[in-house]
């Protein structure tokens, strides 16, 4: 009977254990930390489960930086036990006695805990000044101005003072819909000693662009890093710059580390609105300068020859992309055609602020000789130092354009080994030189080649009538070869240009061949040459070659070479004087 009672009691105890809910516990690795440091919360359940507790209540007073889970099982004296653990890394949002609320895990709750958070490592700074040097790691953030105009550039200088070895560090400044944020320049490394403690300093600059007026509060820069978990004084940092904001050596990660989440104070700005008396172009800056230079600077300007005007605009307190398109502000008189190049912008540090610049090249080509006056160029801006509207002005410029020398003297054609445009010139000059190339005296050259061909043919006919072989005379030795032989050489050179995919060389050799093939009406350009050809399969590739020359696009010469594998035929209705081809934009 006694054994029956014992068995009954044992079964009752087992049933009680099976029906009892799994216990949930919670603990902190530290009970007291400083604001900016992190703490690990360990929540443990005495059961094996796939569910996780709800950590949403923690986000009221903490930033959740990460979490990990694990499970374990052990058998002791035939009894099996299991545990499930959740580790959460927390960064307090403010100082004081913070409560870790109970967390719901299944049907159970973890107990409440209390964490004491002391003053921030940055608490010793005021108005952007560094801390007093008592904290091992701290951040400072100082704007160059606290009362900017709307869309004016504010340079924020952030400095990280590290007296401990840190790893896997990242520094971030998030923007908002009210303020655009852009990192400016490269990080600068230095070292500094404060109150007997050695710090490695990393300085980073940001450009803030407020998008509305009024008071704006921007969340301060945030540092996330791994710090050696040691109570000893900070050692001097070796190769800090490479370790802090990059991949740290494996040796540093082998030591015990803890997470660091450091948040600087918010950036407070009182943004001024745009004044009602400001001009159409809103440029709030401390200074604005507009300068010009010419290339060539002191040469004689002639019809059909491109010359370049370089405009340089700078503004202290603005970025380069905020400056206006100065090429659009420049106007030219009738008789001169502008070819603006793509502008270039740049930003450079100037003291505590930024100096933005924009450079613009405009190639100019005159169509006829005479005296021309370029109107003044004006850039209206707002002086943020004196709160008045100002203008940066380039005075009017008078140009004396002389006739082209080709109007009086026949110039020889350019050598074949020279590129179509001069090396070192801007794209605008290249386009202007290409469009003015039709002004070369092709007609005079073609007439001269035609006369030479006619004289050679007459001498050959005369020698045939006399029944004697034509012997070369001294004059024939120094004269150029007949036009048809010259045309074959030009076609051979054309095939080489097609193999090299060089549209400019192909155009030059094609016109050389055409000058010998049509000596009585040599075409001035490729469009005029297309009108002289009877085969449409040859005319269309010529037009494609013409477009490639003026747009500087990619040109494949294989199809063009196949189109000119044999000599094309003349159009039966070819005109004596074809019109000049149209210029491509």
């Amino acid at each position: 009977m006694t054994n029956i009672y014992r068995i009954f009691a044992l079964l009752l105890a087992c049933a009680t254990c099976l029906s009892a809910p799994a216990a949930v516990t919670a603990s902190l690795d530290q009970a007291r930390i400083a604001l900016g440091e992190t703490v690990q919360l360990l929540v443990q359940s005495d059961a094996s489960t796939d569910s996780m507790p709800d950590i949403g209540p923690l986000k009221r007073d903490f930033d959740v930086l990460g979490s990990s889970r694990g499970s374990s099982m052990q058998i002791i004296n035939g009894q099996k036990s299991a545990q499930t653990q959740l580790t959460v890394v927390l960064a307090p949002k403010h100082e004081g006695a913070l409560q870790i609320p109970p967390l719901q895990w299944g049907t159970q709750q973890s107990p409440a805990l209390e964490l004491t958070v002391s003053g921030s490592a940055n608490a010793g700074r005021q108005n952007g000044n560094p801390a007093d040097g008592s904290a091992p790691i701290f951040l400072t953030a100082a704007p160059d101005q606290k009362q900017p105009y709307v869309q004016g550039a504010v340079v924020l200088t952030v400095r990280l003072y590290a007296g401990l070895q840190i790893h896997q560090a990242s520094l971030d400044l998030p923007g908002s819909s009210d303020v655009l944020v852009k990192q400016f320049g490269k990080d600068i490394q230095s070292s500094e000693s404060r109150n007997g403690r050695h710090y490695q300093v990393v300085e980073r600059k940001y450009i803030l662009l407020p998008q509305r007026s009024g008071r704006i509060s921007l969340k301060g820069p945030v540092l996330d890093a791994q710090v050696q978990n040691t109570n000893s004084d900070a050692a001097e940092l070796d190769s800090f710059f490479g370790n802090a904001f990059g991949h740290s050596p494996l040796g540093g990660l082998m030591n015990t580390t803890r997470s660091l989440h450091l948040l600087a104070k918010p950036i407070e700005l009182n943004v001024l609105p745009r004044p009602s008396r400001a001009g159409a172009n809103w440029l709030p800056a401390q200074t604005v300068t507009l300068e010009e230079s010419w290339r060539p600077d002191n040469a004689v300007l002639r019809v059909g020859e491109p010359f370049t005007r370089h405009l340089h605009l700078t503004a202290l307190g603005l970025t380069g992309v905020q400056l206006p398109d100065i090429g659009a502000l420049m106007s030219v008189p009738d008789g001169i055609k502008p070819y603006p190049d793509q502008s270039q912008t740049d930003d450079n540090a100037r003291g505590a602020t930024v100096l933005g610049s924009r450079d613009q090249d405009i190639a100019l080509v005159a169509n006829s000789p005479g005296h021309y006056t370029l109107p003044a160029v004006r850039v209206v801006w707002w002086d943020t130092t004196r709160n008045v509207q100002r203008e940066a002005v380039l005075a009017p410029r008078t140009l004396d354009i002389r006739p082209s020398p080709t109007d009086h003297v026949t110039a020889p054609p350019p050598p074949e080994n020279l590129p179509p445009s001069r090396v070192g010139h801007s794209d605008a000059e290249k386009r202007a030189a290409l469009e003015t190339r039709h002004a070369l005296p092709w007609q005079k050259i073609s007439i001269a080649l035609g006369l030479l061909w006619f004289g050679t043919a007459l001498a050959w006919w005369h020698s045939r009538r006399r029944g004697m072989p034509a012997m070369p005379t001294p004059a024939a030795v120094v004269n150029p070869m007949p036009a048809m032989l010259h045309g074959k050489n030009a076609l051979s050179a054309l095939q080489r240009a097609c193999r090299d995919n060089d549209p400019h060389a192909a155009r030059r050799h094609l016109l050389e061949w055409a000058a010998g093939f049509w000596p009585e009406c040599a075409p001035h350009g490729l469009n005029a040459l297309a009108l002289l050809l009877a085969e449409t399969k040859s005319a269309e590739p010529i037009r494609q070659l013409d477009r490639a020359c003026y747009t500087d696009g990619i040109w494949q010469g294989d199809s063009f070479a196949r189109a000119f594998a044999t000599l094309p035929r003349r159009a039966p209705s070819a005109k004596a004087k074809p019109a000049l081809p149209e210029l491509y934009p």
Side-chain angles (χ1 to χ4, degrees):
M1 190 70 178
T2 303
N3 292 333
I4 295 176
Y5 282 115
R6 289 179 178 175
I7 294 173
F8 179 77
L10 181 59
L11 293 175
L12 182 62
C14 292
T16 303
C17 294
L18 292 174
S19 61
V24 177
T25 61
S27 62
L28 296 171
D29 66 337
Q30 300 179 80
R32 180 185 295 272
I33 62 174
L35 185 62
E37 297 180 336
T38 59
V39 65
Q40 291 188 2
L41 171 64
L42 176 63
V43 185
Q44 182 173 285
S45 174
D46 294 336
S48 179
T49 177
D50 293 333
S51 64
M52 285 287 103
D54 180 18
I55 62 175
L58 297 174
K59 297 181 181 180
R60 184 184 65 181
D61 296 323
F62 299 90
D63 289 324
V64 179
L65 303 184
S67 63
S68 62
R69 60 163 297 175
S71 61
S72 62
M73 181 181 296
Q74 58 182 354
I75 300 176
I76 302 177
N77 297 328
Q79 295 184 355
K80 182 175 66 173
S81 63
Q83 288 183 340
T84 304
Q85 299 175 344
L86 176 67
T87 303
V88 184
V89 180
L90 301 176
K93 295 181 179 180
H94 54 86
E95 58 183 286
L98 306 184
Q99 296 294 322
I100 306 293
L103 303 180
Q104 190 72 32
W105 198 342
T107 60
Q108 298 297 310
Q109 282 188 341
S110 64
L113 302 174
E114 184 176 288
L115 175 67
T116 302
V117 181
S118 60
S120 169
N122 286 341
R125 64 176 178 86
Q126 297 292 335
N127 299 325
N129 295 324
D132 57 4
S134 60
I137 299 176
F138 61 93
L139 284 172
T140 65
D144 68 328
Q145 53 180 323
K146 293 188 175 182
Q147 198 170 3
Y149 277 95
V150 62
Q151 297 180 351
V154 177
V155 177
L156 180 71
T157 303
V158 179
R159 291 185 177 90
L160 166 63
Y161 293 80
L164 295 176
Q165 184 75 40
I166 66 176
H167 309 277
Q168 297 179 340
S170 65
L171 183 63
D172 185 34
L173 179 62
S176 67
S177 59
D178 295 332
V179 180
L180 301 181
V181 177
K182 173 187 175 183
Q183 185 175 341
F184 171 49
K186 298 181 180 180
D187 295 343
I188 301 176
Q189 178 195 13
S190 62
S191 59
E192 189 174 332
S193 296
R194 291 176 175 271
N195 296 334
R197 184 187 294 272
H198 180 78
Y199 289 94
Q200 196 75 18
V201 184
V202 176
E203 178 181 292
R204 177 177 293 180
K205 293 183 181 293
Y206 294 91
I207 293 179
L208 312 180
L209 297 175
Q211 300 300 299
R212 66 169 181 87
S213 59
R215 293 190 175 276
I216 297 179
S217 179
L218 180 66
K219 186 178 179 180
V222 181
L223 173 70
D224 288 300
Q226 294 291 321
V227 185
Q228 291 181 357
N229 193 8
T230 176
N231 295 326
S232 61
D233 291 339
E236 184 173 343
L237 301 178
D238 296 328
S239 303
F240 170 79
F241 189 75
N243 296 339
F245 296 98
H247 297 286
S248 59
L250 294 178
L253 296 180
M254 295 300 292
N255 300 328
T256 303
T257 61
R258 58 185 175 88
S259 299
L260 177 67
H261 182 75
L262 198 59
L263 177 64
K265 288 186 177 181
I267 311 300
E268 305 291 342
L269 298 176
N270 183 22
V271 183
L272 301 177
R274 176 178 177 174
S276 58
R277 60 185 185 277
N281 293 326
W282 173 236
L283 294 176
Q286 299 178 27
T287 59
V288 172
T289 59
L290 179 60
E291 300 173 332
E292 68 173 347
S293 59
W294 292 82
R295 189 173 60 242
D297 52 354
N298 54 1
V300 177
L301 305 181
R302 298 186 181 275
V303 172
E305 297 180 355
F307 50 97
T308 301
R309 187 183 198 183
H310 176 78
L311 300 178
H312 180 64
L313 179 63
T314 61
L316 187 63
L318 288 176
T319 61
V321 296
Q322 293 180 278
L323 301 180
D325 183 3
I326 45 182
L329 300 178
M330 187 190 80
S331 59
V332 295
D334 294 337
I336 294 181
K337 188 173 182 180
Y339 298 87
D341 206 350
Q342 185 176 0
S343 61
Q344 303 292 330
T345 61
D346 194 14
D347 299 325
N348 294 283
R350 180 64 59 90
T353 186
V354 60
L355 178 68
S357 63
R358 181 182 289 269
D359 290 270
Q360 176 82 60
D361 281 341
I362 302 100
L364 304 174
V365 177
N367 298 328
S368 58
H371 296 279
Y372 298 90
T373 300
L374 298 179
V377 181
R378 302 178 183 273
V379 176
V380 181
W381 59 284
W382 185 262
D383 190 341
T384 58
T385 304
R386 296 177 175 82
N387 294 325
V388 294
Q389 179 175 300
R390 295 184 180 275
E391 281 187 342
V393 182
L394 283 180
R397 178 105 177 183
T398 301
L399 303 178
D400 183 14
I401 307 298
R402 299 184 183 182
S404 174
T406 58
D407 293 342
H408 306 284
V409 180
T410 300
E416 294 186 1
N417 57 349
L418 289 181
S421 59
R422 291 173 290 178
V423 177
H425 284 206
S426 65
D427 293 339
E429 288 179 284
K430 294 178 182 178
R431 292 196 300 270
L434 286 172
E435 294 196 9
T436 57
R437 186 171 294 177
H438 290 287
L440 293 176
W442 290 110
Q443 188 173 4
K444 297 178 180 179
I445 297 175
S446 301
I447 293 174
L449 291 175
L451 293 175
L452 290 174
W453 178 85
F454 180 76
T456 304
L458 183 61
W460 174 82
W461 176 78
H462 183 68
S463 63
R464 293 279 299 196
R465 289 195 59 183
R466 295 178 58 183
M468 298 176 59
M471 300 297 294
T473 62
V477 175
V478 297
N479 285 339
M481 64 183 62
M484 292 303 296
L485 183 59
H486 178 74
K488 292 181 180 179
N489 290 340
L491 286 178
S492 299
L494 174 63
Q495 296 294 331
R496 290 195 302 271
C498 292
R499 289 193 298 269
D500 297 337
N501 295 323
D502 187 349
H504 300 288
R507 179 185 185 275
R508 183 169 64 251
H509 297 313
L510 185 60
L511 290 178
E512 289 174 357
W513 167 80
F517 200 69
W518 285 279
E520 72 281 1
C521 57
H524 296 281
L526 296 184
N527 282 342
L529 174 60
L531 297 176
L532 297 176
L533 296 177
E535 300 91 339
T536 57
K537 65 178 184 179
S538 301
E540 181 57 29
I542 289 177
R543 294 188 176 93
Q544 294 178 1
L545 172 61
D546 196 34
R547 287 192 291 268
C549 289
Y550 285 105
T551 59
D552 287 334
I554 298 176
W555 180 71
Q556 299 295 334
D558 296 339
S559 59
F560 192 88
R562 289 192 297 269
F564 273 82
T566 59
L567 292 178
R569 294 182 295 105
R570 305 187 184 202
S573 59
K575 295 182 179 180
K577 294 184 179 180
L580 288 174
E582 296 182 356
L583 297 181
Y584 287 90

